[in-house]
Amino acid sequence: KMRIFSKYRFLIFLFFFVASFSSQLSAAPFMAYSLKEAEKMIKTSGRSNDQVLEVGGITNPVAMVYDESREDLILIGQANPDERKITLDDVTTALRCAFIHNTCPEVSIDKTPETQKTEKQVVTFKGGIADTQYGMDLLEADILLKNIGLGRVRVDTWEVESYVDMCVKNWEDTGNEDYVENRFWFLPDENSTVGARQGVSVVKNLKVDVEMEIMNTGKNGQKVTDQVCAQFSSALTKSYSDISMEFSQLKRLDVLFKLAGLAEGICDL
């Protein structure tokens, strides 16, 4: 009786949790995907089909449910035929990152001492996402961000100048030639939340910010500021939701961040 009651409570909780933000979602149907059933299908047939590998066609993950009685993990999301399907590899990569590596997935492109000579930089993957499509797609988003900053990809339509153009204008206006080394990150906004309770992890709110990081210090270790850097990251953050509709790399980034948040929520239960 206790097990039935607990399951009833968690279903009610999930219903109201999803209903609380369902008005923000598209009209695409919801699907539920059982990892245990997927495993059973693969073992029974000796191979996996597209339904299994493409997670039932889910394109927008919104919740994960851990069914303790069946030792099963269920992914719930919307299936929009016009959007890219997530894969079983995406789900397992996010879970592995949370449960095994106990960290968030991360990709960075950084200079080395030889970069000035070789014009090459090093790509670092964290969270066990190297050699996965998840990691490659995060890299593609990071490359896009750098190309926007350099002005190789223009987003002037959304009234966002490149970081390079901003620096040139700042130099023309002020004559300031101080060297500042920085980098930009796509990160979930501090107000982004994943609710986790009674075996359910739900993305309640996701907003992506462009954050800046100053890499060098001033004389005597003083903190260096970069007003242009701050202006660029702020402008790109402000227009991110509109810009993301134009670039597939950013649409994909939203999905990967949701999967990471859901996996982290389940891990913290």
Side-chain angles (χ1 to χ4, degrees):
K1 291 181 179 179
M2 283 299 296
R3 182 172 294 171
I4 294 173
F5 179 66
S6 295
K7 188 174 183 180
Y8 175 76
R9 285 197 307 169
F10 113 79
L11 287 173
I12 292 294
F13 170 72
L14 176 61
F15 172 78
F16 283 108
F17 221 166
V18 173
S20 67
F21 66 96
S22 60
S23 60
Q24 304 171 22
L25 302 174
S26 67
F30 280 89
M31 304 287 291
Y33 178 90
S34 162
L35 288 182
K36 190 165 187 175
E37 288 301 315
E39 181 184 28
K40 187 184 299 183
M41 289 178 65
I42 294 173
K43 286 182 177 179
T44 301
S45 64
R47 59 187 179 84
S48 54
N49 56 38
D50 289 345
Q51 263 309 87
V52 172
L53 294 179
E54 294 178 348
V55 196
I58 292 176
T59 57
N60 178 31
V62 297
M64 276 187 183
V65 178
Y66 177 60
D67 185 343
E68 187 175 3
S69 64
R70 298 183 67 247
E71 295 185 340
D72 190 12
L73 189 61
I74 301 165
L75 177 68
I76 297 172
Q78 292 179 290
N80 190 325
D82 298 325
E83 295 177 359
R84 176 175 171 178
K85 300 180 182 73
I86 64 175
T87 67
L88 183 57
D89 182 63
D90 295 333
V91 178
T92 56
T93 299
L95 291 169
R96 184 169 60 246
C97 188
F99 281 84
I100 297 177
H101 297 279
N102 194 30
T103 187
C104 296
E106 181 182 308
V107 173
S108 64
I109 306 173
D110 303 301
K111 295 179 181 178
T112 69
E114 292 77 33
T115 294
Q116 191 168 2
K117 184 185 301 182
T118 64
E119 297 184 350
K120 294 182 179 180
Q121 300 185 57
V122 62
V123 177
T124 302
F125 295 93
K126 296 183 180 180
I129 62 173
D131 301 319
T132 68
Q133 191 60 52
Y134 195 115
M136 289 304 299
D137 289 340
L138 283 182
L139 176 60
E140 287 297 321
D142 196 27
I143 291 173
L144 175 64
L145 174 57
K146 285 175 169 50
N147 282 330
I148 291 174
L150 292 170
R152 295 172 181 168
V153 174
R154 308 299 302 189
V155 289
D156 307 72
T157 303
W158 297 274
E159 299 182 350
V160 178
E161 295 181 274
S162 73
Y163 175 64
V164 169
D165 288 347
M166 288 183 174
C167 286
V168 170
K169 285 186 178 181
N170 182 67
W171 174 77
E172 291 174 343
D173 293 341
T174 66
N176 185 357
E177 296 183 352
D178 290 344
Y179 173 72
V180 179
E181 184 176 352
N182 54 49
R183 60 182 177 181
F184 299 97
W185 298 86
F186 283 129
L187 292 173
D189 177 81
E190 61 180 11
N191 294 319
S192 297
T193 54
V194 174
R197 180 182 170 192
Q198 294 180 331
V200 182
S201 174
V202 179
V203 177
K204 296 179 65 177
N205 177 50
L206 175 68
K207 182 177 180 295
V208 177
D209 280 355
V210 178
E211 300 286 345
M212 66 175 190
E213 180 182 2
I214 305 297
M215 305 296 291
N216 60 323
T217 57
K219 296 180 180 179
N220 302 319
Q222 293 178 334
K223 184 178 180 180
V224 175
T225 60
D226 185 349
Q227 184 177 359
V228 178
C229 182
Q231 290 173 343
F232 172 73
S233 60
S234 175
L236 195 52
T237 294
K238 183 178 179 181
S239 299
Y240 177 85
S241 59
D242 293 329
I243 294 174
S244 67
M245 299 302 294
E246 184 70 20
F247 294 96
S248 61
Q249 301 96 316
L250 302 186
K251 291 180 182 178
R252 173 70 170 163
L253 182 67
D254 290 351
V255 171
L256 298 180
F257 276 177
K258 286 180 181 178
L259 285 175
L262 291 173
E264 186 177 340
I266 288 292
C267 186
D268 290 341
L269 286 173

